[in-house]
Amino acid sequence: MMFRALAVLIVLVTGSMSLPAQFIYRFAAGLGVHPKFGINAGEIPTGTKTGVAFTGVPDIWAQGILPLDRYGEITVGLDIGYSSHAFITKPGDADTTTDANTFVQHYRYLGIAPTFYLNVLGLGLNIGIPLGGTLRNRSGTVEKTVETSDMGVLLELRLGISAPLVKDPQKGRLNVQLFASYGLTKLPAKSYELIRLGPQPPVDERYSPRIAALAVGLSYHFFFGVERATVGLSPIHL
């Protein structure tokens, strides 16, 4: 009898109980800033070496996020903004390497990057419209310009994460973002001719640089169309 009374009490309580309210959003938009490092992952000509370089000005993205499910576990994103790549080219012989013959190759783009997210994991493609390039030695005595007509459109695969650090369910969230990218298209082989390193011109296209890069930064996304979503517990049946 006591057990039956306790069961009835549980039914009455759980039948009216609800979980803490959750908030869902229809769309999110914001800004991301990503410092980036890169290296030449292509075939390196005999007599030269590559090295890691920092792009200087970070990538700056306007970002939009559209949820494909109710709670934003599956989303599609679109980033549009300034993107660049950089890497070092230098002689293969360390004894002859100086600041005067060590060059930073730097290429700048208007990036358009659609991305598919499963929770915090993202897979996407960046389409880079060339804005120009520079080849500058570390001593600052030589600087060459790479024309946009020589660069071509860049296609690169992007794999990374976008994970919330701080979140206000009704306003927005601060995210840490990390993206690794790999060039599906190459940069101009003419760069070796401009800095006078590597093979004698004309340089074979197989030596065209292929970028590999890692970008780490922060973004803030504002939520739009926020709704209150309360999930109730199902009653217990005796």
Side-chain angles (χ1 to χ4, degrees):
M1 189 71 178
M2 182 179 295
F3 173 78
R4 187 173 183 83
L6 180 60
V8 171
L9 180 61
I10 292 174
V11 170
L12 292 175
V13 172
T14 58
S16 59
M17 183 184 295
S18 61
L19 292 174
Q22 296 188 46
F23 292 89
I24 59 176
Y25 64 94
R26 295 185 180 276
F27 181 73
L31 187 71
V33 178
H34 302 158
K36 182 190 286 181
F37 298 85
I39 196 170
N40 180 6
E43 185 174 350
I44 308 301
T46 302
T48 68
K49 286 184 177 180
T50 187
V52 175
F54 176 54
T55 59
V57 177
D59 290 2
I60 303 173
W61 298 99
Q63 301 180 325
I65 299 290
L66 181 66
L68 298 182
D69 69 336
R70 183 168 177 80
Y71 294 104
E73 297 294 325
I74 302 174
T75 62
V76 291
L78 180 64
D79 295 359
I80 300 176
Y82 171 82
S83 176
S84 68
H85 288 292
F87 59 89
I88 288 175
T89 301
K90 58 186 177 181
D93 184 357
D95 294 333
T96 62
T97 301
T98 66
D99 285 348
N101 59 20
T102 299
F103 283 81
V104 177
Q105 300 197 36
H106 189 198
Y107 300 89
R108 301 176 298 277
Y109 299 89
L110 170 64
I112 303 171
T115 306
F116 174 81
Y117 290 98
L118 180 59
N119 203 327
V120 300
L121 298 178
L123 176 64
L125 181 72
N126 180 38
I127 304 166
I129 301 171
L131 300 176
T134 55
L135 315 173
R136 182 184 296 112
N137 66 353
R138 280 184 165 173
S139 63
T141 57
V142 178
E143 181 174 324
K144 301 291 185 179
T145 299
V146 182
E147 301 296 334
T148 56
S149 57
D150 293 324
M151 293 171 60
V153 173
L154 174 70
L155 296 178
E156 58 179 330
L157 189 67
R158 297 206 313 166
L159 175 65
I161 63 171
S162 179
L165 288 176
V166 181
K167 181 177 180 180
D168 183 325
Q170 301 182 65
K171 295 181 179 179
R173 67 188 175 209
L174 177 67
N175 311 286
V176 60
Q177 297 186 318
L178 181 151
F179 286 99
S181 58
Y182 180 79
L184 302 178
T185 57
K186 296 183 177 182
L187 300 172
K190 184 180 179 180
S191 60
Y192 289 105
E193 300 176 20
L194 292 174
I195 60 179
R196 298 181 181 179
L197 287 177
Q200 294 296 317
V203 178
D204 194 298
E205 288 298 319
R206 69 192 176 102
Y207 295 123
S208 297
R210 186 189 299 274
I211 196 68
L214 181 66
V216 182
L218 298 173
S219 69
Y220 190 86
H221 296 159
F222 295 94
F223 294 152
F224 298 92
V226 176
E227 297 179 358
R228 185 184 182 97
T230 303
V231 180
L233 294 176
S234 299
I236 298 176
H237 298 286
L238 297 178

